[in-house]
Amino acid sequence: MEGDDSLTVVYQLNNVTVKYADRAALNNVSCTIQEGKWISVIGQTGAGKSTFAKVLKGLILTIDGEYWINQQPAHRDAKGQLKVVPEIGYVFQYPEHQLFETTVYKELAFTPRLQGYSQQEIEILIETILAQVGLSEEIVTSVPFQLSGGQKRRVAIASVLMMNPKLLILDEPTAGLDPASRDAMLRLLKKWQQQENRTVLYLSHQMNDVAEYSDEVIVFQAGRLMGHMDTNALFLDNAPLLEQLGLSLPEPVQLLKLIEELSGQKIEVPSCREQDIFEKVWQIKHARSF
């Protein structure tokens, strides 16, 4: 997809290949990630999603190709290996497994203390971040391992947000959560992303969530980048691509396609988001029957 030149290109991969033994986990991938967008990454298991995200974070030391950050080559060590990019936050699947401190306060204060923040600055930051992830301040004295599963997840994500990352990578962060908890978590993260025009890279198998929260979608298959486009363009106009890759349409879009088939007409909707589609379907339902 051609980007808008008025937006700052923050991260850029040029012809990047990553090999594990004889297998190419990424194969000649070129891609740009722009500021202020929620960009989802989709594909079957083993398509290259996590490898792509780890390259951006600098967790894969050796790559073929170029990696640029803010129009400068990504930092490498004396051996030419990529260094970890500190301004990128990375939330793994089951991030609560990364908790290690004895209280929530110590967990959240760990990174800013290393970065030289004062006690007062840390306390203000913790108060702000806890509110952003939907936790009360009283939780700071709790032992992380004694919290509920949902609370642990939020504390772990809060510890990453304490870094105030310029790019936040979310690798299936709602894995194992029930639908209500998943929706609540994603709404909080979307609000955080929009507040200061931050950038999110969201790896997911949940097409409904991808359609609901994304500005753009990157599609991988067998290590190859198959598309990078506007979310509405992908789900409303490129169903054959998804079918070719064995990926399903979001359920609201499936409903829309069914109504189009039954009515024999193309139905224009503002977006692929659930509310926009359901409102249009509701209008049609009251206008005619099939």
Side-chain angles (χ1 to χ4, degrees):
M1 182 192 70
E2 294 297 322
D4 182 348
D5 291 338
S6 67
L7 295 173
T8 301
V9 174
V10 183
Y11 304 94
Q12 182 174 359
L13 301 182
N14 293 325
N15 305 118
V16 167
T17 295
V18 174
K19 291 185 177 179
Y20 299 138
D22 295 328
R23 183 180 69 89
L26 288 184
N27 196 332
N28 200 36
V29 170
S30 296
C31 183
T32 58
I33 304 297
Q34 296 176 324
E35 283 184 312
K37 294 179 180 291
W38 181 296
I39 303 171
S40 290
V41 185
I42 65 174
Q44 298 281 13
T45 300
K49 303 186 299 295
S50 292
T51 302
F52 172 68
K54 289 175 182 176
V55 167
L56 292 173
K57 175 62 177 173
L59 297 177
I60 295 179
L61 304 181
T62 303
I63 66 172
D64 294 325
E66 298 178 337
Y67 179 18
W68 296 73
I69 302 176
N70 291 331
Q71 301 179 359
Q72 299 292 327
H75 292 302
R76 297 176 183 260
D77 62 20
K79 297 180 180 179
Q81 296 180 323
L82 287 177
K83 290 185 176 181
V84 171
V85 183
E87 66 266 25
I88 295 179
Y90 203 123
V91 177
F92 294 89
Q93 288 188 35
Y94 304 105
E96 59 271 25
H97 295 170
Q98 300 168 242
L99 299 174
F100 61 93
E101 283 287 5
T102 54
T103 68
V104 170
Y105 181 88
K106 290 181 179 179
E107 187 72 43
L108 299 181
F110 182 81
T111 298
R113 184 171 287 127
L114 288 179
Q115 295 174 336
Y117 282 68
S118 69
Q119 187 70 22
Q120 183 180 10
E121 289 172 329
I122 290 173
E123 290 178 358
I124 293 172
L125 191 54
I126 288 176
E127 180 182 351
T128 301
I129 296 298
L130 285 176
Q132 288 179 336
V133 299
L135 292 172
S136 67
E137 293 181 52
E138 287 73 21
I139 204 171
V140 294
T141 58
S142 300
V143 178
F145 310 104
Q146 295 177 352
L147 299 174
S148 70
Q151 288 175 321
K152 287 180 185 178
R153 183 74 55 97
R154 293 186 185 214
V155 169
I157 290 175
S159 69
V160 176
L161 299 188
M162 290 291 289
M163 300 164 50
N164 192 26
K166 295 181 180 179
L167 168 65
L168 178 64
I169 296 174
L170 303 170
D171 191 349
E172 297 278 4
T174 59
L177 297 182
D178 62 77
S181 298
R182 186 179 76 240
D183 290 343
M185 179 69 69
L186 290 174
R187 284 196 299 270
L188 287 167
L189 289 167
K190 184 66 175 179
K191 184 177 180 181
W192 173 87
Q193 180 252 328
Q194 291 177 323
Q195 279 178 339
E196 295 186 23
N197 204 39
R198 297 178 174 100
T199 307
V200 164
L201 194 75
Y202 174 54
L203 284 60
S204 180
H205 289 93
Q206 300 289 336
M207 294 299 108
N208 288 3
D209 296 339
V210 171
E212 191 69 24
Y213 294 98
S214 309
D215 300 303
E216 298 175 358
V217 183
I218 295 172
V219 186
F220 277 99
Q221 182 190 43
R224 294 185 179 275
L225 193 153
M226 305 300 293
H228 180 183
M229 66 189 75
D230 175 84
T231 307
N232 296 326
L234 175 63
F235 289 128
L236 297 178
D237 303 322
N238 285 276
L241 172 62
L242 295 172
E243 183 178 356
Q244 171 193 340
L245 302 179
L247 300 171
S248 62
L249 285 170
E251 291 175 357
V253 179
Q254 292 182 37
L255 174 62
L256 177 67
K257 297 297 183 184
L258 176 60
I259 299 297
E260 287 182 336
E261 182 180 343
L262 293 172
S263 66
Q265 65 182 41
K266 174 71 174 176
I267 300 172
E268 299 295 333
V269 291
S271 79
C272 61
R273 291 175 174 81
E274 181 180 278
Q275 182 175 346
D276 287 335
I277 290 177
F278 283 2
E279 285 180 355
K280 191 67 175 181
V281 169
W282 185 257
Q283 293 171 9
I284 293 172
K285 180 178 182 297
H286 281 73
R288 60 181 296 181
S289 60
F290 306 113

